[in-house]
PDB file of all heavy atoms in Angstrom:
ATOM      1  N   ASP F 203     -13.256 -18.665  18.547  1.00  0.00           N
ATOM      2  CA  ASP F 203     -14.358 -17.699  18.459  1.00  0.00           C
ATOM      3  C   ASP F 203     -15.461 -18.176  17.529  1.00  0.00           C
ATOM      4  O   ASP F 203     -16.644 -18.142  17.874  1.00  0.00           O
ATOM      5  CB  ASP F 203     -13.844 -16.341  17.967  1.00  0.00           C
ATOM      6  CG  ASP F 203     -13.102 -15.600  19.065  1.00  0.00           C
ATOM      7  OD1 ASP F 203     -12.943 -16.195  20.160  1.00  0.00           O
ATOM      8  OD2 ASP F 203     -12.679 -14.460  18.834  1.00  0.00           O
ATOM      9  N   LEU F 204     -15.052 -18.575  16.299  1.00  0.00           N
ATOM     10  CA  LEU F 204     -16.051 -18.883  15.281  1.00  0.00           C
ATOM     11  C   LEU F 204     -16.954 -20.037  15.701  1.00  0.00           C
ATOM     12  O   LEU F 204     -18.175 -19.949  15.596  1.00  0.00           O
ATOM     13  CB  LEU F 204     -15.361 -19.261  13.972  1.00  0.00           C
ATOM     14  CG  LEU F 204     -15.398 -18.221  12.871  1.00  0.00           C
ATOM     15  CD1 LEU F 204     -14.586 -18.655  11.686  1.00  0.00           C
ATOM     16  CD2 LEU F 204     -16.831 -17.950  12.448  1.00  0.00           C
ATOM     17  N   VAL F 205     -16.332 -21.131  16.177  1.00  0.00           N
ATOM     18  CA  VAL F 205     -17.153 -22.284  16.522  1.00  0.00           C
ATOM     19  C   VAL F 205     -17.612 -22.199  17.975  1.00  0.00           C
ATOM     20  O   VAL F 205     -18.794 -22.354  18.280  1.00  0.00           O
ATOM     21  CB  VAL F 205     -16.383 -23.605  16.288  1.00  0.00           C
ATOM     22  CG1 VAL F 205     -17.342 -24.773  16.326  1.00  0.00           C
ATOM     23  CG2 VAL F 205     -15.636 -23.551  14.987  1.00  0.00           C
ATOM     24  N   GLY F 206     -16.645 -21.917  18.878  1.00  0.00           N
ATOM     25  CA  GLY F 206     -16.988 -21.922  20.297  1.00  0.00           C
ATOM     26  C   GLY F 206     -17.988 -20.846  20.649  1.00  0.00           C
ATOM     27  O   GLY F 206     -19.068 -21.120  21.181  1.00  0.00           O
ATOM     28  N   LYS F 207     -17.644 -19.596  20.306  1.00  0.00           N
ATOM     29  CA  LYS F 207     -18.519 -18.489  20.700  1.00  0.00           C
ATOM     30  C   LYS F 207     -19.752 -18.409  19.808  1.00  0.00           C
ATOM     31  O   LYS F 207     -20.881 -18.420  20.276  1.00  0.00           O
ATOM     32  CB  LYS F 207     -17.754 -17.162  20.605  1.00  0.00           C
ATOM     33  CG  LYS F 207     -16.911 -16.852  21.821  1.00  0.00           C
ATOM     34  CD  LYS F 207     -16.611 -15.354  21.846  1.00  0.00           C
ATOM     35  CE  LYS F 207     -15.262 -15.079  22.455  1.00  0.00           C
ATOM     36  NZ  LYS F 207     -14.852 -13.687  22.255  1.00  0.00           N
ATOM     37  N   ASN F 208     -19.522 -18.300  18.475  1.00  0.00           N
ATOM     38  CA  ASN F 208     -20.648 -18.023  17.584  1.00  0.00           C
ATOM     39  C   ASN F 208     -21.579 -19.224  17.416  1.00  0.00           C
ATOM     40  O   ASN F 208     -22.786 -19.103  17.553  1.00  0.00           O
ATOM     41  CB  ASN F 208     -20.156 -17.557  16.217  1.00  0.00           C
ATOM     42  CG  ASN F 208     -19.825 -16.076  16.224  1.00  0.00           C
ATOM     43  OD1 ASN F 208     -19.647 -15.503  17.303  1.00  0.00           O
ATOM     44  ND2 ASN F 208     -19.756 -15.462  15.068  1.00  0.00           N
ATOM     45  N   ASP F 209     -21.000 -20.396  17.099  1.00  0.00           N
ATOM     46  CA  ASP F 209     -21.856 -21.559  16.846  1.00  0.00           C
ATOM     47  C   ASP F 209     -22.432 -22.123  18.143  1.00  0.00           C
ATOM     48  O   ASP F 209     -23.646 -22.298  18.276  1.00  0.00           O
ATOM     49  CB  ASP F 209     -21.072 -22.681  16.152  1.00  0.00           C
ATOM     50  CG  ASP F 209     -20.681 -22.303  14.729  1.00  0.00           C
ATOM     51  OD1 ASP F 209     -20.896 -21.136  14.365  1.00  0.00           O
ATOM     52  OD2 ASP F 209     -20.170 -23.173  14.017  1.00  0.00           O
ATOM     53  N   ALA F 210     -21.524 -22.416  19.130  1.00  0.00           N
ATOM     54  CA  ALA F 210     -21.975 -23.127  20.321  1.00  0.00           C
ATOM     55  C   ALA F 210     -22.420 -22.180  21.427  1.00  0.00           C
ATOM     56  O   ALA F 210     -22.979 -22.611  22.437  1.00  0.00           O
ATOM     57  CB  ALA F 210     -20.870 -24.046  20.833  1.00  0.00           C
ATOM     58  N   GLY F 211     -22.166 -20.893  21.260  1.00  0.00           N
ATOM     59  CA  GLY F 211     -22.616 -19.922  22.251  1.00  0.00           C
ATOM     60  C   GLY F 211     -21.869 -19.990  23.577  1.00  0.00           C
ATOM     61  O   GLY F 211     -22.392 -19.585  24.626  1.00  0.00           O
ATOM     62  N   LEU F 212     -20.630 -20.501  23.553  1.00  0.00           N
ATOM     63  CA  LEU F 212     -19.852 -20.543  24.791  1.00  0.00           C
ATOM     64  C   LEU F 212     -19.243 -19.177  25.074  1.00  0.00           C
ATOM     65  O   LEU F 212     -19.052 -18.365  24.169  1.00  0.00           O
ATOM     66  CB  LEU F 212     -18.716 -21.571  24.665  1.00  0.00           C
ATOM     67  CG  LEU F 212     -19.123 -23.012  24.345  1.00  0.00           C
ATOM     68  CD1 LEU F 212     -17.887 -23.898  24.295  1.00  0.00           C
ATOM     69  CD2 LEU F 212     -20.087 -23.530  25.393  1.00  0.00           C
ATOM     70  N   ALA F 213     -18.903 -18.931  26.352  1.00  0.00           N
ATOM     71  CA  ALA F 213     -18.235 -17.682  26.712  1.00  0.00           C
ATOM     72  C   ALA F 213     -16.750 -17.800  26.376  1.00  0.00           C
ATOM     73  O   ALA F 213     -16.231 -18.882  26.104  1.00  0.00           O
ATOM     74  CB  ALA F 213     -18.412 -17.403  28.196  1.00  0.00           C
ATOM     75  N   GLU F 214     -16.070 -16.663  26.353  1.00  0.00           N
ATOM     76  CA  GLU F 214     -14.620 -16.647  26.189  1.00  0.00           C
ATOM     77  C   GLU F 214     -14.001 -17.539  27.262  1.00  0.00           C
ATOM     78  O   GLU F 214     -14.441 -17.542  28.419  1.00  0.00           O
ATOM     79  CB  GLU F 214     -14.133 -15.191  26.353  1.00  0.00           C
ATOM     80  CG  GLU F 214     -12.643 -14.992  26.319  1.00  0.00           C
ATOM     81  CD  GLU F 214     -12.128 -14.702  24.912  1.00  0.00           C
ATOM     82  OE1 GLU F 214     -12.886 -14.142  24.115  1.00  0.00           O
ATOM     83  OE2 GLU F 214     -10.970 -15.064  24.629  1.00  0.00           O
TER      84      GLU F 214
END
Side-chain angles (χ1 to χ4, degrees):
Chain F
D203 284 4
L204 254 175
V205 194
K207 277 200 212 169
N208 278 18
D209 292 8
L212 302 182
E214 176 91 29

